[in-house]
Coordinates of all heavy atoms in Angstrom, one line a residue:
A1147 N 161.5 47.3 -32.2 CA 162.9 47.5 -32.0 C 163.1 48.3 -30.7 O 164.0 48.0 -29.9 CB 163.6 48.3 -33.1
L1148 N 162.3 49.3 -30.5 CA 162.4 50.1 -29.3 C 162.1 49.3 -28.0 O 162.7 49.4 -27.0 CB 161.5 51.3 -29.3 CG 161.9 52.4 -30.3 CD1 160.9 53.5 -30.5 CD2 163.3 53.0 -29.9
A1149 N 161.1 48.4 -28.2 CA 160.7 47.6 -27.1 C 161.9 46.6 -26.7 O 162.1 46.4 -25.5 CB 159.5 46.8 -27.4
A1150 N 162.6 46.1 -27.7 CA 163.7 45.2 -27.5 C 164.8 45.9 -26.8 O 165.5 45.4 -25.9 CB 164.2 44.6 -28.8
C1151 N 165.1 47.2 -27.2 CA 166.2 47.9 -26.6 C 165.9 48.3 -25.2 O 166.7 48.5 -24.3 CB 166.5 49.2 -27.4 SG 167.2 48.8 -29.0
A1152 N 164.6 48.4 -24.8 CA 164.3 48.7 -23.5 C 164.3 47.6 -22.5 O 164.2 47.8 -21.3 CB 162.8 49.3 -23.5
K1153 N 164.6 46.3 -23.0 CA 164.7 45.2 -22.0 C 166.0 45.3 -21.2 O 167.1 45.8 -21.7 CB 164.8 43.9 -22.8 CG 163.4 43.6 -23.5 CD 163.5 42.2 -24.2 CE 162.2 41.9 -24.8 NZ 162.3 40.6 -25.5
P1154 N 165.9 44.9 -19.9 CA 167.1 45.0 -19.1 C 168.2 44.1 -19.6 O 168.0 43.0 -20.1 CB 166.6 44.6 -17.7 CG 165.4 43.8 -18.0 CD 164.8 44.3 -19.2
A1155 N 169.6 44.5 -19.3 CA 170.8 43.7 -19.8 C 170.9 42.4 -19.0 O 170.5 42.3 -17.8 CB 172.1 44.5 -19.6
A1156 N 171.4 41.3 -19.6 CA 171.6 40.1 -19.0 C 172.7 40.1 -17.9 O 173.7 40.9 -18.1 CB 171.9 39.0 -20.0
A1157 N 172.6 39.4 -16.8 CA 173.6 39.4 -15.8 C 174.9 38.8 -16.3 O 174.9 37.9 -17.1 CB 173.1 38.5 -14.6
P1158 N 176.2 39.4 -15.9 CA 177.5 38.9 -16.4 C 177.8 37.5 -15.9 O 177.4 37.1 -14.8 CB 178.4 39.9 -15.8 CG 177.8 40.5 -14.6 CD 176.3 40.5 -15.0
L1159 N 178.6 36.7 -16.8 CA 179.0 35.4 -16.4 C 180.1 35.4 -15.4 O 180.9 36.3 -15.4 CB 179.4 34.6 -17.7 CG 178.4 34.4 -18.8 CD1 179.1 33.7 -20.0 CD2 177.2 33.5 -18.3
N1160 N 180.2 34.4 -14.5 CA 181.2 34.3 -13.5 C 182.4 33.6 -14.1 O 182.5 32.3 -14.0 CB 180.6 33.5 -12.3 CG 181.6 33.5 -11.1 OD1 182.6 34.3 -11.1 ND2 181.4 32.7 -10.1
F1161 N 183.4 34.3 -14.7 CA 184.6 33.7 -15.4 C 185.8 33.5 -14.5 O 186.2 34.4 -13.7 CB 185.0 34.7 -16.6 CG 186.2 34.2 -17.3 CD1 186.1 33.1 -18.2 CD2 187.5 34.8 -17.0 CE1 187.3 32.7 -18.9 CE2 188.6 34.3 -17.7 CZ 188.5 33.3 -18.6
E1162 N 186.4 32.3 -14.5 CA 187.6 32.0 -13.7 C 188.7 31.5 -14.6 O 188.5 30.6 -15.5 CB 187.3 30.9 -12.7 CG 188.5 30.6 -11.8 CD 188.1 29.6 -10.7 OE1 187.0 29.2 -10.6 OE2 189.1 29.2 -10.0
R1163 N 189.9 32.2 -14.5 CA 191.1 31.8 -15.4 C 191.5 30.4 -15.1 O 191.7 30.0 -13.9 CB 192.2 32.8 -15.1 CG 193.4 32.6 -16.1 CD 194.4 33.7 -15.9 NE 195.5 33.6 -16.8 CZ 196.5 34.4 -17.0 NH1 196.4 35.6 -16.3 NH2 197.4 34.2 -17.9
P1164 N 191.7 29.6 -16.1 CA 192.2 28.2 -15.9 C 193.6 28.2 -15.4 O 194.4 29.1 -15.6 CB 192.1 27.6 -17.3 CG 192.2 28.7 -18.2 CD 191.6 29.9 -17.5
P1165 N 194.0 27.1 -14.6 CA 195.3 27.0 -14.1 C 196.4 27.0 -15.3 O 196.1 26.4 -16.3 CB 195.3 25.6 -13.4 CG 193.9 25.4 -13.1 CD 193.1 26.0 -14.2
A1166 N 197.4 27.7 -15.0 CA 198.5 27.8 -16.0 C 199.3 26.5 -16.0 O 199.8 26.0 -14.9 CB 199.4 29.0 -15.7
P1167 N 199.5 25.9 -17.2 CA 200.3 24.7 -17.2 C 201.8 25.0 -17.1 O 202.4 25.9 -17.8 CB 200.0 24.1 -18.6 CG 199.6 25.3 -19.4 CD 199.0 26.3 -18.5
V1168 N 202.5 24.4 -16.1 CA 203.9 24.6 -15.9 C 204.7 23.3 -15.7 O 204.1 22.3 -15.4 CB 204.1 25.6 -14.7 CG1 203.5 26.9 -14.9 CG2 203.6 24.9 -13.4
E1169 N 206.0 23.4 -15.7 CA 206.9 22.4 -15.3 C 207.6 22.9 -14.1 O 208.0 24.0 -14.0 CB 207.8 21.9 -16.4 CG 207.1 21.3 -17.5 CD 208.1 20.8 -18.6 OE1 209.3 20.8 -18.3 OE2 207.7 20.5 -19.7
A1170 N 207.9 22.0 -13.1 CA 208.5 22.5 -11.9 C 209.6 21.5 -11.5 O 209.7 20.4 -12.0 CB 207.5 22.6 -10.7
A1171 N 210.5 22.0 -10.6 CA 211.6 21.1 -10.1 C 211.7 21.4 -8.6 O 211.4 22.5 -8.2 CB 212.9 21.4 -10.8
V1172 N 212.2 20.5 -7.9 CA 212.4 20.6 -6.5 C 213.8 21.2 -6.2 O 214.8 20.6 -6.6 CB 212.2 19.2 -5.8 CG1 212.4 19.4 -4.3 CG2 210.9 18.6 -6.1
A1173 N 213.8 22.3 -5.5 CA 215.1 22.9 -5.0 C 215.8 21.9 -4.1 O 215.1 21.3 -3.2 CB 214.9 24.2 -4.4
S1174 N 217.1 21.7 -4.3 CA 217.8 20.8 -3.5 C 219.0 21.4 -2.8 O 219.6 22.3 -3.3 CB 218.3 19.6 -4.4 OG 219.0 18.7 -3.6
G1175 N 219.3 20.9 -1.6 CA 220.4 21.4 -0.9 C 221.6 20.4 -1.1 O 221.5 19.2 -0.7
R1176 N 222.7 20.9 -1.7 CA 223.8 20.0 -2.0 C 225.1 20.8 -1.7 O 225.2 22.0 -1.7 CB 223.8 19.6 -3.4 CG 222.6 18.8 -3.8 CD 222.7 18.3 -5.3 NE 221.5 17.6 -5.7 CZ 221.3 16.3 -5.4 NH1 222.2 15.6 -4.7 NH2 220.2 15.7 -5.8
D1177 N 226.1 20.0 -1.4 CA 227.5 20.6 -1.2 C 228.1 20.9 -2.6 O 228.2 20.0 -3.5 CB 228.4 19.6 -0.5 CG 227.9 19.3 0.9 OD1 227.1 20.2 1.4 OD2 228.3 18.3 1.5
V1178 N 228.4 22.1 -2.8 CA 229.1 22.5 -4.1 C 230.4 23.3 -3.7 O 230.8 23.2 -2.6 CB 228.2 23.4 -4.9 CG1 227.0 22.6 -5.4 CG2 227.7 24.6 -4.2
A1179 N 231.0 23.9 -4.7 CA 232.2 24.6 -4.4 C 232.2 26.0 -5.0 O 231.6 26.2 -6.0 CB 233.4 23.8 -5.0
V1180 N 232.9 26.9 -4.3 CA 233.1 28.2 -4.9 C 234.3 28.1 -5.8 O 235.3 27.5 -5.5 CB 233.4 29.2 -3.8 CG1 233.7 30.6 -4.3 CG2 232.3 29.3 -2.8
Y1181 N 234.2 28.7 -7.0 CA 235.2 28.5 -8.0 C 235.5 29.8 -8.8 O 234.7 30.8 -8.7 CB 234.8 27.4 -9.0 CG 233.5 27.7 -9.7 CD1 233.5 28.4 -10.9 CD2 232.3 27.3 -9.2 CE1 232.3 28.8 -11.5 CE2 231.1 27.6 -9.8 CZ 231.1 28.3 -11.0 OH 229.9 28.6 -11.6
I1182 N 236.5 29.7 -9.6 CA 236.8 30.8 -10.6 C 237.0 30.1 -11.9 O 237.7 29.2 -12.1 CB 238.1 31.6 -10.2 CG1 238.0 32.3 -8.9 CG2 238.4 32.6 -11.3 CD1 239.2 32.9 -8.4
D1183 N 236.2 30.6 -12.9 CA 236.3 30.1 -14.3 C 237.3 30.9 -15.1 O 237.3 32.2 -14.9 CB 235.0 30.0 -15.0 CG 234.2 28.8 -14.6 OD1 234.8 27.8 -14.1 OD2 232.9 28.8 -14.7
A1184 N 238.0 30.3 -16.0 CA 239.0 31.0 -16.8 C 239.2 30.2 -18.1 O 238.9 29.1 -18.2 CB 240.3 31.3 -16.1
I1185 N 239.8 30.9 -19.1 CA 240.3 30.3 -20.3 C 241.8 30.2 -20.2 O 242.4 31.2 -20.0 CB 239.8 31.0 -21.5 CG1 238.3 31.0 -21.6 CG2 240.4 30.4 -22.8 CD1 237.7 29.6 -21.8
G1186 N 242.3 29.0 -20.4 CA 243.8 28.8 -20.3 C 244.3 28.2 -21.6 O 243.6 28.0 -22.6

């Protein structure tokens, strides 16, 4: 047991986080209007 404990530690693994799955949309330039919302 002592001999086993005296063995050097194994080298760490090279871990890389996987790409995050997302949904995206393209920002668009459009003519809109300035407005006021109300309840009538």
Side-chain angles (χ1 to χ4, degrees):
L1148 290 174
C1151 291
K1153 290 182 178 179
L1159 298 175
N1160 187 14
F1161 176 76
E1162 182 177 357
R1163 185 171 182 174
V1168 297
E1169 294 181 13
V1172 179
S1174 179
R1176 298 185 183 277
D1177 294 341
V1178 294
V1180 178
Y1181 61 85
I1182 298 174
D1183 278 341
I1185 297 296

